[in-house]
Amino acid sequence: MQNLKSQFLLREDITFLNFGSFGACPKPVFERYQQYQLELEQEPVNFVTSKALKYLDHSREALGNYVNCHKNDLVYVTNPSYAVNTIAKNFDLKEGDEVLTTDLEYGACDKTWDYYCRKAKAKYVRQPIPLPIESKEHFFEAFFKGLTAKTKLIFISHITSTTGLRFPVEEICAIAKEKGILTFVDGAHAPGHILLDLQTLNADFYTGACHKWMMTPKGSSFLYVRKELQSTVDPLIISWGYNAMFPSDSQFIDYHQMNGSRDLSAFLSIPAAINFMQEHDWKTVAASCRNLVQENIEPFCKLLGASPLSPLNDDFNLQLFSAEIKTTEPEQLHDLFFEKYKIQIPVMRHGDKVYLRYSINAFNDQGDMDKLFAAIKDIKNNTAFIN
Ligand SMILES: Cc1ncc(COP(=O)(O)O)c(C=O)c1O
């Protein structure tokens, strides 16, 4: 696999196996980001009141082409939590309505829906997904048990956080559409990780983080809303875009894009990240990364005494792999990996279980996984952190 380590800013002394949490920005993309920041500081007024709007338009156009949707159907937000809060706060939930999700969602988004459902006296249904998942059919059978005549919205991850599993959201969106239920896909891990085609997916709402697998600077994500629903979604911040003095051709963009003074440079760097992926043939890079993930599953699970959480193929596993780890001290174990072995890897609680998750991207190689395996063996032999 083409190793692109020299293209990244990551510290040489750290084995970085946690791309999933906050990505990592390649040097040319980071340089473009800093150029925007410099341009802003050199003439802030002209930048904010004139140039930035054109740059934003260009950036949304590039991202729209990349994820296949119109540039006016997506707005930039700092992170997926912001997008989820925007939709949850606006969603017209009535007493007795239901929002269907799984029990494997990302904690912050799960809390958001829990909060707004409670507030509206609606029911938030965290449908249990039995692990291991045996097949897509097995997944659908478990998930749709939670569907009732009161279900108004399905909220579901495209790729889950703690378990690192890709969910079959294409089929879920299609089934929901047939039944007249709205869908919101949490694609925090999807852009840059899998080929994303929002028109084909046909979800009603979608959020993706650009600063994870698309490798843009931190604080760059997007919220997509299907055109017919855009008028139902108010921004979290009311600003100059409301009753805009010089409206653009999209009220949705005016409402959500003007958000008070802030640094837009991370959003503006998105075209540079798309160029970087194209220049480095990311399709091939991603395929090599998936191979490395797959090749290491068996020894990883064996060392942890764990079983895979799903069938081992691209339907469920991509550049993330999680397995259950038997530990009572996940936070201390994470710190031990980092401080003693210089390995950055998440040890994550989910419900009553703990998962160890590795991520592979362009700068990783087998040597990184070998270091992880050696560290796990050493910890097992010399401490009580892993049972
Ligand atoms: C599946 C999933 N959804 C949403 C998020 C939210 O990210 P943030 O906390 O940046 O809003 C994450 C972050 O890792 C995630 O993994």
Side-chain angles (χ1 to χ4, degrees), residues 207-264:
T207 182
C210 302
H211 56 233
K212 288 185 190 279
W213 299 89
M214 274 182 80
M215 306 174 290
T216 62
K218 311 295 170 272
S220 47
S221 302
F222 68 88
L223 166 65
Y224 161 90
V225 179
R226 188 160 59 80
K227 202 168 283 307
E228 299 76 43
L229 291 169
Q230 289 172 2
S231 61
T232 68
V233 181
D234 286 340
L236 290 184
I237 307 287
I238 302 296
S239 183
W240 290 100
Y242 169 67
N243 274 340
M245 210 180 306
F246 303 106
S248 73
D249 54 351
S250 163
Q251 180 176 287
F252 178 65
I253 297 299
D254 291 343
Y255 272 28
H256 291 267
Q257 192 164 266
M258 292 192 197
N259 194 327
S261 307
R262 55 186 173 148
D263 183 358
L264 302 165

Side-chain angles (χ1 to χ4, degrees), residues 20-21 79-82 106 108-109 157 159-161 186 188-189 211-212:
S21 284
N79 51 55
S81 298
Y82 193 103
Y106 182 69
C109 303
S157 289
I159 298 172
T160 59
S161 173
D186 172 1
H189 285 281
H211 56 233
K212 288 185 190 279

